Amino acid sequence: MDSVLKIEGMRKSLGKSLLYTLPMFLITFMFMTGGKPNFADPVSALAMLTAFLLVNILYFLMHYTGKTDRYRAVLFIIFALSLSYTLIHNMVEVRKSMTFSQADILECRIPFCHLVIPMMILPAAFTKSIIFPGSIISGFANISSMVVLWLVATIVLGRGFCSWGCFYGGWDDGFSRIKKRPVIKKISELWKWMPFAVLIMVMLTAALSMMPTYCSWICPFKAVTEFEQVTSVESATKAGIFLSLFGGLVVVLPVMTRKRTQCSFLCPLGAINSLSNKITPFTVKIDKGSCNECFKCVEVCPLYALTPEDIKAGKVSLFCSKCGKCVDACSKKAIHYGIRGIPAGTMKNFSRNLFLFVSFLFMAIFSAGSIINTLQGLLKLIF
Amino acid sequence: MKKVKIIAGISWAFLCLILIIILFPGLNSFSLSVSKLPFMKLNPRYTGGEIANQVISKSCTLDIRKPVFNGFLKERNSGFVQLDWHGTIPDIIKDSIDYDYDGKKDFYVLIDRKNSKTVLEPIDRKVKDVLISTPTSYGWAIRVGLIK
Ligand code: SF4
Ligand code: SF4
Ligand code: SF4
């Protein structure tokens, strides 16, 4: 009986779940409508209402079912798809193509994304300047606002940014869920240190060349956002690299391994986010007293953040993105959301409620604009 | 000690909650403050450098920018100078440029805008080749490679 109560512990009654959803409901309503919903344009109103209901139903279900990852992933994947749609739609509308031209670079009109941040650090420190052809403060995806969003999210969520904030992560998260069972079961654990090697390499090469080298040569997500016009052997090589890395690390390997291989083995910002796990108040904890060492959590973790040794030591590694997959999978509820300073196994509900509110609120508001925009686009196709 | 740790952890968590709640309404003002930090300016390799001289003719203006040799820890041996034409630009641009203001022409440039052809004739040995020649929203721009 006691163990049943423990397992059921994260679920809430209908009334309690509604009560917990109320603050999210009110805050997302204020953000999405500015306090005054506008019904003048029915398509925009319907898109806004759908997005609003989507986020609130997902948040309600997290409380009502006690499951986290399943509902988080729905919004996270929709965020990735809708952001790509929004970017591509903007590009095609403004420039009639998914590629950017030399004039866009020369006139510093390239939208900034957080993956550039690791490469900005050394030039900013030593030359007091930014090495990116974007806008510092004005326009869509300007450098200052993207830096603020990432910085606050990474301080608050640590690597939780990689499961609750990054508009790229949903791609490999989505593909990693396609197959029920992995075809490739074992990949050397050593590969998970690769992002740190990539981080050092891109920081140094970017500083020496004064160019965001990861964006110019490696980033797999160029395949679903924007890339340089193919006008030379060099630009054709780059396009080939982007597409191969996207195909290999974001599509094929996640499908075969059920792991987020791009985020685990390549992304240099993921490495920085892992380090910020050291300062965030929100953690995932293991209550060794309840754990029966079944290692189900190790098996399901999409980011290679858990090993049997970690479980035995009662510690989750710094690669954890707080996605909640292990928490949902653990039949003993031994692995759970926690807050720094609070001993494992205690105040589980309080810690989960607080973490869910903070992380989901960030994702809901950050994603709202692109989801509404995508829904508008889809609705316009229908009506 | 245990209690202090718990209180510190919970306080930090609530502070983060407040941070997230104020993040989006305050985004514009936070971004504005960040944009004023000393390092938040684009490197001349991206802006093309400051405008050093303007040559105004009947219908169009030519901006000659300061040569850019910026490197990471020190200046590089190779760089570029950017020229921007704006206004009503002729289909064929022909100009001779003194980019370092030593009173001597450094190169001739001929741009056939209709056929997107650019011909550079270096006069000074420090002038190398055309790195970029492209139509822009304001007219036309080129970057000419230089060595020191
Ligand atoms: S590892 Fe990189 S791409 Fe993946 S979610 Fe994190 S920041 Fe985004
Ligand atoms: S799934 Fe739960 S019980 Fe099993 S090893 Fe992980 S923490 Fe322990
Ligand atoms: S340890 Fe758990 S919460 Fe962390 S990344 Fe792995 S599955 Fe997600």
Side-chain angles (χ1 to χ4, degrees):
Chain A
M1 182 64 189
D2 194 34
S3 80
V4 173
L5 276 179
K6 264 187 186 168
I7 292 161
E8 297 289 303
M10 297 299 155
R11 296 185 64 162
K12 295 184 185 80
S13 66
L14 181 68
K16 229 177 170 186
S17 305
L18 285 171
L19 202 66
Y20 273 91
T21 310
L22 189 62
M24 184 65 66
F25 188 90
L26 296 173
I27 296 179
T28 50
F29 178 79
M30 288 304 292
F31 277 111
M32 289 190 195
T33 64
K36 330 178 212 65
N38 177 10
F39 296 109
D41 172 14
V43 169
S44 309
L46 189 58
M48 197 276 298
L49 186 71
T50 314
F52 173 70
L53 287 177
L54 171 79
V55 296
N56 283 289
I57 289 171
L58 290 172
Y59 188 66
F60 165 81
L61 287 172
M62 281 182 175
H63 285 290
Y64 188 57
T65 62
K67 298 284 181 198
T68 306
D69 174 65
R70 173 183 309 172
Y71 305 108
R72 174 203 65 79
V74 173
L75 191 57
F76 196 52
I77 294 166
I78 292 176
F79 186 19
L81 296 175
S82 60
L83 197 282
S84 291
Y85 169 85
T86 304
L87 263 178
I88 293 168
H89 186 256
N90 271 351
M91 303 265 305
V92 172
E93 209 155 71
V94 177
R95 301 177 200 148
K96 309 275 175 278
S97 102
M98 236 181 102
T99 58
F100 55 78
S101 62
Q102 286 192 320
D104 294 321
I105 300 174
L106 230 60
E107 294 183 55
C108 298
R109 285 195 303 242
I110 308 296
F112 184 84
C113 92
H114 46 274
L115 297 191
V116 186
I117 290 169
M119 288 162 286
M120 279 169 44
I121 299 170
L122 289 178
F126 287 89
T127 69
K128 303 263 176 295
S129 66
I130 302 295
I131 53 159
F132 188 80
S135 159
I136 292 285
I137 186 72
S138 59
F140 173 67
N142 66 68
I143 300 171
S144 304
S145 63
M146 294 302 286
V147 167
V148 169
L149 282 168
W150 170 78
L151 195 64
V152 173
T154 203
I155 288 171
V156 172
L157 305 173
R159 206 186 179 195
F161 180 79
C162 294
S163 280
W164 298 85
C166 175
F167 43 73
Y168 294 128
W171 280 97
D172 61 354
D173 198 347
F175 283 109
S176 72
R177 288 164 196 269
I178 285 180
K179 268 184 119 38
K180 277 245 168 323
R181 308 219 169 278
V183 180
I184 300 173
K185 291 209 173 99
K186 190 104 188 99
I187 290 187
S188 168
E189 292 286 327
L190 281 178
W191 284 102
K192 69 185 182 194
W193 293 99
M194 190 67 181
F196 286 95
V198 177
L199 174 67
I200 293 169
M201 185 191 81
V202 297
M203 281 177 78
L204 291 176
T205 52
L208 293 174
S209 64
M210 296 294 276
M211 238 175 52
T213 39
Y214 186 80
C215 314
S216 305
W217 285 97
I218 305 173
C219 180
F221 296 106
K222 292 278 175 208
V224 286
T225 51
E226 31 139 57
F227 51 87
E228 198 179 324
Q229 237 164 29
V230 176
T231 52
S232 60
V233 177
E234 185 182 305
S235 50
T237 312
K238 287 176 180 174
I241 295 173
F242 300 148
L243 291 170
S244 327
L245 284 176
F246 186 81
L249 284 177
V250 182
V251 182
V252 178
L253 272 178
V255 172
M256 310 271 274
T257 57
R258 282 185 59 82
K259 306 277 179 191
R260 292 174 56 184
T261 47
Q262 189 284 145
C263 297
S264 303
F265 301 150
L266 183 70
C267 179
L269 191 66
I272 296 190
N273 291 338
S274 295
L275 296 177
S276 67
N277 257 351
K278 293 268 175 212
I279 47 172
T280 162
F282 303 108
T283 59
V284 169
K285 297 197 175 219
I286 301 166
D287 173 14
K288 276 174 53 176
S290 310
C291 174
N292 65 2
E293 298 190 358
C294 68
F295 304 132
K296 182 83 187 129
C297 49
V298 177
E299 191 190 312
V300 299
C301 176
L303 284 165
Y304 300 91
L306 287 174
T307 61
E309 292 70 40
D310 293 329
I311 301 297
K312 283 177 193 151
K315 276 210 161 123
V316 171
S317 79
L318 49 66
F319 300 100
C320 173
S321 71
K322 305 170 183 105
C323 67
K325 213 168 182 178
C326 56
V327 179
D328 290 351
C330 177
S331 58
K332 297 281 170 198
K333 293 292 163 226
I335 191 159
H336 63 91
Y337 286 114
I339 290 175
R340 207 171 283 283
I342 300 180
T346 58
M347 296 174 78
K348 293 188 203 176
N349 262 320
F350 170 79
S351 305
R352 177 176 185 263
N353 291 339
L354 195 53
F355 173 70
L356 284 193
F357 185 73
V358 170
S359 54
F360 195 87
L361 184 64
F362 180 80
M363 178 156 65
I365 300 173
F366 194 24
S367 63
S370 46
I371 295 177
I372 293 173
N373 190 50
T374 306
L375 286 170
Q376 278 174 352
L378 294 176
L379 288 169
K380 277 181 189 156
L381 285 179
I382 302 168
F383 300 115
Chain B
M1 188 59 194
K2 221 169 150 189
K3 255 196 179 154
V4 175
K5 271 188 172 177
I6 294 175
I7 292 168
I10 294 176
S11 312
W12 180 209
F14 272 101
L15 201 70
C16 286
L17 167 70
I18 295 166
L19 254 178
I20 289 291
I21 292 176
I22 60 170
L23 172 63
F24 290 94
L27 185 60
N28 286 346
S29 65
F30 296 147
S31 306
L32 198 66
S33 311
V34 166
S35 74
K36 288 181 184 148
L37 293 172
F39 57 81
M40 284 301 267
K41 53 180 190 296
L42 296 183
N43 190 276
R45 297 187 76 81
Y46 294 90
T47 59
E50 284 168 45
I51 297 172
N53 194 12
Q54 275 199 325
V55 183
I56 302 169
S57 62
K58 260 183 266 159
S59 61
C60 80
T61 305
L62 164 63
D63 293 341
I64 304 175
R65 293 172 181 261
K66 262 189 175 173
V68 175
F69 287 97
N70 295 52
F72 176 48
L73 293 175
K74 58 181 174 64
E75 288 217 324
R76 295 168 170 204
N77 289 329
S78 61
F80 64 83
V81 61
Q82 182 170 323
L83 312 177
D84 302 289
W85 286 266
H86 39 98
T88 315
I89 308 167
D91 286 345
I92 306 257
I93 301 170
K94 269 194 252 174
D95 267 308
S96 49
I97 309 291
D98 170 14
Y99 76 86
D100 52 6
Y101 324 111
D102 61 355
K104 285 186 237 151
K105 297 292 178 198
D106 298 304
F107 59 87
Y108 293 111
V109 64
L110 185 146
I111 303 166
D112 177 353
R113 290 172 60 216
K114 278 202 170 142
N115 298 310
S116 288
K117 262 192 156 175
T118 305
V119 181
L120 178 86
E121 263 185 49
I123 301 169
D124 193 292
R125 59 152 203 94
K126 289 182 278 188
V127 177
K128 288 289 147 196
D129 46 5
V130 179
L131 302 177
I132 296 176
S133 179
T134 178
T136 58
S137 61
Y138 51 81
W140 199 278
I142 66 167
R143 280 187 182 180
V144 174
L146 304 173
I147 51 165
K148 273 196 166 169

